[in-house]
Amino acid sequence: MFARLKFLARLLYWPLKPLVQCKIVTTNTQTGTSDQPLFYITKVSSATDLATLMRVCRQLGLPAPDDEVQLGNVRLPRTLYLENPKTLSGHQHPSTALQIGQQMLQAHLDPTQNAQLMPVSINWGRAPGKEASVKAIIGEQAAPNWLQKLFIVLISGRHTLVQFSNPLSLQDMTTKYGTSPDTAHKLLRLARFQFYRQQLAATGPRQPDRGALFNALLGSASVRQAIEDEAAQKQIPPAAARQEALLLLEEIAADQRESTVRVGDRFLRWLFSKLYTGIQVRNNEQVRDLAQRGHEIVYLPCHRSHMDYLLLSYVIYQQGLASPHIAAGINLNFWPIGKLFRRGGAFFIRRSFSGNKLYSTVFREYLTQLFRKGYAVKYYSEGGRSRTGRLLQPKTGMLAMTIQAMLRGIDRPVTIVPVYLGYEHVMEVGTYLRELKGLHKTKESAFGILKAATKLRNYGFGFVNFGEPLSVNQYLQQQVPDWKSAIDPLEPAKPEWLNPLVAQLAHQVMLRINQSAAVNSVNLLATCLLSAPQQVMPEQQLLTQMSLYRRLLQQVPYHPNISFAEGEITDWLRHAQRLQKVQIEQDNFGALVRFAPHDQVLVSYYRSNISHLFMIPAILATALLRQQSTAAQLQQLCQQLQPLLEQELFLSPQHLQSYVEGILLFLQQEELIFVEPAGAEYHLNLQHCAKLELLASLADGMLQRYAMVLQLISGSEPMERDVLEQQAHQLALRLSTLHGLDAPEFHDKKLFVTLINALKDQDYLHVDPEHKLQPASTFAQLEAAIYQLLPATVSASIRQIGQLPAA
């Protein structure tokens, strides 16, 4: 039987090549270098499958699946098959996998044997299927006959997904369970279950009929009640209110089609090959494992560009996972992009739900149905694209609806996957600063897309880092142990704990996004050059400073999930030069590096992508330069400022004290500071003060903004919150003019809102009976600490301007 199958597979090897195109998903387990025998197990004994597996294994450098392997005293085929294909008459011969599996286990009575059995799933196409689909006609059986397989290959062969799982140790199986037939049965059951989970994770659940879905949603108790309320409020017939709800569903609901996703994947593969030097993906295996274990996955990425929608969905699909349903702003629902996005899985959401109970009810019910049916969902907790490059304060509406959906009784565990998206060039970055300065946001349109397409060029690398997953079920159990008592399948009441819990959960998600930041050539160059006078540095000094920063992040890691672009620092500089981000000029004394003129202000956006990684080192460097020289002083300063930094930068080291100690030890190892023998104070190494000053300058903007707000509070009578926010923003603009601080964060009013919130939360401010802000008893201590860290010229400007009456 195996000899016949091998003959047919070799016969089909070349004829299948133009018909079959595979997406290969592997694990990090190194199997090709193992000294132990490697076996494969697949679903169906098919010559087509074997020929495809032969080609893939040759491509990956793995042992040929059509070989035989000597295992102890027996010679066995390298590939096992769970089932034989059906004949045209419908008969199916039993598989020999059980007998071969038992022989393999028996051979492992010899403790020196440790063969590995690797499940390999070959999925022909990734359509989840619908009722009365073409696949249902030609046969979507687990073991199709040769005629059905011919149609499957012709229709879906160029969209084949081949997934390798982690190999099983047969010695471990023998040790734990013995060599009885029950163990062989268990081995096959494990493989069969693994194939099922992989297929479900790759295709997602079956697509329901759109009309049937709408009828089910309109028939739900909550939507029926909302329709009745709408009819009564507007004094219209219930049928008219129902029609209005139907139109809302048409506006909201996705119409995902596998053909659109498939064509979109091929188009994006071509597009990204033109736009990006490469796309680097990190920590993807944990997401695949969650999906294959049946988790309901909610992707929460940061939002920096319209490209986010495409890039993350593309990467998820390339990882062998089902394309998620994506919450997209209603501003993207314009012809023809809106229709394409909708068929790619986008569902559209308005900017505000306020005052429209029918819309909010319909949307919430639709989202609940997505979770109930098992679709992965992606939405942006920031609500909009960041104009400064740092994370925005999260909007909690969608996250609250996710928790409310769980209170309807979802069977599967729900897991949030934070995602850090990074770029070496953001297409819209040129408009962001203008929008912060007051220019109206340009409305999206087909013409705008065509115009942008004419400007496309190589944008360097894109970075997709999946953060540490957060189990919502476990989080609820920790924060609200009796949360399951609020579950109501029909319409749960909104518990009192919901809003504060959602706010805490959103904050945790943002922390985990920043814990997965990607350090690359452009953002590290921006970090170094923007600190230099006139934003220009000698090439060797720049390379030295970049190397210092990379060593700092690697030797004293903020978090293990932080990633780095590949190559040496010199490679990073040359890469940025090819991207036309920097210019290298020669004079009699050597090379000088500066930003291209059109990028000198805009590159601060990229610095802000990783500013949280350098903030505590920069504050320590600033304190050391200002003669705060003992470890106790430095620890106390970081403890005092860290809560404010956490709220604004989503900066929260796992162990702040040991993190600070690690940074100080690193600065000593780099000979930037030293400690006298038997002394407790740090001293500056004057030969390397320039390096420390450049590091310290990374905290200047943050500290100056803090000082602005503190000065306005202490130098005036109690004031209303909106007045304080407005005056702080005006003071920032004045300082940016006086001291050349033209960076996006100095124009962003939201940063002052966040800072004032943080000051209130940390009890530096309190609200008097007239709802005005006043400094609390601890305020003066914070103000003194901040002013001690400022340069004298900037400090004087802030004090002087802050005391002037506002115009």
Side-chain angles (χ1 to χ4, degrees):
M1 180 68 180
F2 181 71
R4 177 174 175 272
L5 183 68
K6 181 166 63 174
F7 172 76
L8 290 174
R10 292 177 177 176
L11 194 65
L12 291 172
Y13 187 90
W14 293 111
L16 281 175
K17 187 173 183 179
L19 299 176
V20 178
Q21 183 173 334
C22 297
K23 167 62 187 170
I24 305 169
V25 176
T26 61
T27 67
N28 290 331
T29 305
Q30 297 297 319
T31 57
T33 58
S34 173
D35 296 332
Q36 299 296 336
L38 178 66
F39 290 85
Y40 306 106
I41 183 167
T42 68
K43 290 185 282 189
V44 185
S45 173
S46 162
T48 306
D49 286 18
L50 180 57
T52 301
L53 184 57
M54 288 163 58
R55 176 172 286 108
V56 170
C57 289
R58 177 177 294 182
Q59 181 178 337
L60 297 177
L62 294 173
D66 56 333
D67 285 347
E68 293 185 344
V69 181
Q70 186 70 36
L71 192 63
N73 297 324
V74 295
R75 192 166 182 83
L76 300 172
R78 190 183 296 278
T79 306
L80 284 72
Y81 307 96
L82 290 178
E83 296 183 72
N84 284 319
K86 294 180 180 178
T87 65
L88 288 176
S89 63
H91 181 67
Q92 188 174 17
H93 296 287
S95 168
T96 58
L98 183 62
Q99 293 87 339
I100 296 175
Q102 194 162 1
Q103 287 179 288
M104 293 168 67
L105 293 171
Q106 289 286 345
H108 283 78
L109 291 172
D110 179 357
T112 63
Q113 293 283 0
N114 188 19
Q116 309 292 304
L117 181 63
M118 179 184 288
V120 185
S121 175
I122 303 176
N123 294 320
W124 297 88
R126 297 173 63 177
K130 282 188 175 182
E131 296 179 3
S133 67
V134 174
K135 279 196 171 186
I137 297 173
I138 64 174
E140 199 181 276
Q141 299 93 341
N145 61 49
W146 68 265
L147 183 58
Q148 292 167 332
K149 194 58 171 279
L150 174 62
F151 280 105
I152 290 172
V153 172
L154 291 175
I155 293 172
S156 304
R158 295 186 65 81
H159 314 287
T160 303
L161 177 67
V162 180
Q163 299 184 81
F164 290 81
S165 301
N166 287 322
L168 301 169
S169 167
L170 294 179
Q171 183 59 247
D172 289 349
M173 288 289 295
T174 302
T175 302
K176 290 180 182 179
Y177 306 108
T179 61
S180 68
D182 287 342
T183 304
H185 275 292
K186 182 178 182 65
L187 192 65
L188 300 187
R189 283 198 306 271
L190 287 173
R192 194 183 301 276
F193 186 56
Q194 177 72 3
F195 293 147
Y196 167 76
R197 295 195 309 180
Q198 285 182 330
Q199 182 168 1
L200 186 61
T203 64
R206 286 183 174 273
Q207 298 285 349
D209 177 76
R210 190 172 171 84
L213 173 64
F214 285 5
N215 286 333
L217 290 170
L218 293 173
S220 66
S222 59
V223 174
R224 285 203 314 270
Q225 183 61 51
I227 289 173
E228 292 177 7
D229 294 343
E230 184 79 1
Q233 181 182 353
K234 292 186 176 180
Q235 297 182 352
I236 58 176
R242 189 179 190 278
Q243 182 63 27
E244 187 175 336
L246 180 60
L247 292 176
L248 291 176
L249 277 173
E250 292 282 358
E251 175 192 307
I252 294 167
D255 186 19
Q256 191 176 59
R257 303 189 183 188
E258 193 269 340
S259 58
T260 303
V261 173
R262 188 175 65 235
V263 172
D265 175 66
R266 297 180 68 178
F267 170 75
L268 291 177
R269 190 183 314 149
W270 169 84
L271 177 66
F272 291 152
S273 70
K274 302 296 182 184
L275 287 183
Y276 298 112
T277 306
I279 298 172
Q280 297 186 9
V281 182
R282 299 286 198 284
N283 307 324
N284 50 307
E285 282 204 1
Q286 59 185 351
V287 183
R288 194 182 309 124
D289 180 64
L290 287 169
Q292 292 177 5
R293 286 195 282 123
H295 284 236
E296 176 66 39
I297 295 182
V298 181
Y299 298 96
L300 261 65
C302 60
H303 198 10
R304 297 199 165 105
S305 169
H306 282 315
M307 193 61 71
D308 298 343
Y309 297 104
L310 305 177
L311 180 63
L312 182 54
S313 294
Y314 170 78
V315 166
I316 291 169
Y317 194 74
Q318 287 290 307
Q319 297 305 313
L321 300 174
S323 183
H325 279 56
I326 310 157
I330 195 68
N331 58 306
L332 295 178
N333 189 18
F334 60 89
W335 185 90
I337 297 300
K339 190 169 186 178
L340 290 175
F341 279 3
R342 195 183 297 275
R343 292 189 173 188
F347 59 96
F348 293 96
I349 179 172
R350 295 180 183 178
R351 291 296 182 189
S352 174
F353 290 14
S354 61
N356 195 334
K357 181 182 177 182
L358 181 61
Y359 179 84
S360 61
T361 303
V362 168
F363 187 90
R364 187 170 62 249
E365 191 67 27
Y366 173 74
L367 188 64
T368 300
Q369 284 296 318
L370 292 182
F371 290 135
R372 278 183 171 173
K373 291 180 178 295
Y375 297 108
V377 174
K378 178 180 75 175
Y379 53 82
Y380 300 90
S381 60
E382 294 170 283
R385 292 166 291 157
S386 169
R387 265 63 176 176
T388 62
R390 61 182 67 192
L391 296 184
L392 303 177
Q393 294 300 311
K395 302 288 194 301
T396 56
M398 287 288 292
L399 195 54
M401 282 189 256
T402 301
I403 303 298
Q404 287 176 301
M406 293 181 65
L407 297 181
R408 300 283 291 274
I410 296 175
D411 295 332
R412 295 172 307 286
V414 177
T415 299
I416 292 173
V417 176
V419 188
Y420 178 94
L421 299 174
Y423 303 90
E424 291 182 323
H425 181 83
V426 172
M427 291 187 301
E428 306 97 319
V429 73
T431 68
Y432 286 167
L433 184 58
R434 295 197 296 272
E435 290 177 13
L436 287 171
K437 289 182 176 180
L439 185 72
H440 289 297
K441 179 178 176 290
T442 303
K443 186 177 180 180
E444 287 77 9
S445 65
F447 174 76
I449 291 177
L450 292 174
K451 184 178 178 181
T454 63
K455 301 179 181 179
L456 296 181
R457 57 184 177 86
N458 188 336
Y459 291 154
F461 283 97
F463 301 88
V464 180
N465 289 356
F466 293 97
E468 182 183 354
L470 197 160
S471 169
V472 181
N473 301 69
Q474 291 180 10
Y475 191 83
L476 286 171
Q477 193 65 37
Q478 292 169 358
Q479 302 296 324
V480 190
D482 64 340
W483 70 275
K484 292 185 178 180
S485 64
I487 290 177
D488 184 342
L490 296 178
E491 186 64 26
K494 185 176 179 180
E496 292 183 0
W497 50 259
L498 181 65
N499 287 343
L501 179 134
V502 168
Q504 295 170 15
L505 181 59
H507 185 76
Q508 286 297 317
V509 170
M510 306 307 280
L511 290 176
R512 296 191 184 200
I513 290 175
N514 261 352
Q515 289 170 355
S516 303
V519 181
N520 59 61
S521 62
V522 175
N523 57 34
L524 193 59
L525 270 167
T527 300
C528 293
L529 280 177
L530 290 178
S531 302
Q534 307 304 316
Q535 300 180 356
V536 60
M537 291 178 70
E539 180 178 351
Q540 191 54 52
Q541 182 188 7
L542 173 62
L543 292 174
T544 300
Q545 197 74 15
M546 291 175 67
S547 297
L548 174 72
Y549 288 171
R550 187 169 71 169
R551 288 197 302 275
L552 169 62
L553 297 179
Q554 290 175 333
Q555 294 179 26
V556 192
Y558 171 70
H559 193 274
N561 282 350
I562 300 298
S563 71
F564 299 86
E566 298 172 355
E568 299 301 321
I569 289 297
T570 52
D571 300 327
W572 291 20
L573 178 58
R574 304 301 169 218
H575 174 65
Q577 187 181 12
R578 288 192 296 271
L579 294 178
Q580 301 177 5
K581 289 293 182 184
V582 294
Q583 297 177 346
I584 301 181
E585 305 166 356
Q586 294 286 340
D587 63 14
N588 293 335
F589 300 97
L592 293 172
V593 184
R594 69 172 76 244
F595 288 117
H598 57 278
D599 280 339
Q600 286 183 351
V601 174
L602 301 180
V603 289
S604 60
Y605 182 93
Y606 304 105
R607 178 184 62 181
S608 295
N609 292 169
I610 58 170
S611 60
H612 62 287
L613 301 180
F614 293 99
M615 193 52 60
I616 290 181
I619 288 172
L620 288 171
T622 303
L624 288 164
L625 289 167
R626 302 288 185 267
Q627 306 303 314
Q628 297 186 30
S629 56
T630 68
Q633 287 176 323
L634 297 171
Q635 286 282 2
Q636 181 182 3
L637 176 65
C638 291
Q639 293 284 352
Q640 186 177 21
L641 295 183
Q642 195 275 329
L644 302 180
L645 299 175
E646 178 175 343
Q647 194 144 340
E648 180 172 337
L649 290 177
F650 299 102
L651 165 64
S652 181
Q654 292 178 309
H655 304 287
L656 179 61
Q657 182 175 346
S658 59
Y659 180 58
V660 171
E661 290 171 353
I663 295 169
L664 293 173
L665 179 60
F666 174 83
L667 296 178
Q668 291 181 69
Q669 292 170 347
E670 294 290 328
E671 299 182 350
L672 302 184
I673 59 175
F674 64 92
V675 180
E676 292 283 1
E681 294 185 350
Y682 294 103
H683 299 276
L684 303 178
N685 184 341
L686 298 181
Q687 292 182 343
H688 299 296
C689 260
K691 295 179 183 178
L692 201 64
E693 287 175 352
L694 288 171
L695 176 60
S697 67
L698 299 178
D700 286 351
M702 176 80 66
L703 296 173
Q704 289 157 13
R705 282 186 292 102
Y706 285 8
M708 295 174 203
V709 174
L710 298 178
Q711 173 62 35
L712 288 171
I713 294 169
S714 64
S716 65
E717 297 294 324
M719 65 176 69
E720 295 178 351
R721 182 192 180 104
D722 57 346
V723 175
L724 175 59
E725 293 169 2
Q726 182 180 6
Q727 290 190 12
H729 182 243
Q730 291 172 350
L731 178 55
L733 297 179
R734 178 68 176 267
L735 282 174
S736 69
T737 302
L738 289 174
H739 298 280
L741 305 172
D742 192 12
E745 57 262 32
F746 277 85
H747 300 274
D748 189 1
K749 298 178 183 178
K750 295 177 182 177
L751 293 182
F752 296 99
V753 175
T754 302
L755 175 57
I756 294 167
N757 285 336
L759 292 171
K760 284 183 56 183
D761 292 344
Q762 298 302 316
D763 296 325
Y764 291 114
L765 295 179
H766 69 261
V767 182
D768 66 14
E770 297 180 359
H771 304 289
K772 293 183 178 181
L773 297 174
Q774 285 188 338
S777 58
T778 55
F779 181 88
Q781 183 183 2
L782 175 65
E783 185 180 26
I786 294 294
Y787 271 105
Q788 287 177 9
L789 299 175
L790 292 180
T793 54
V794 176
S795 175
S797 294
I798 292 174
R799 290 187 185 277
Q800 181 182 12
I801 301 172
Q803 292 171 359
L804 294 176

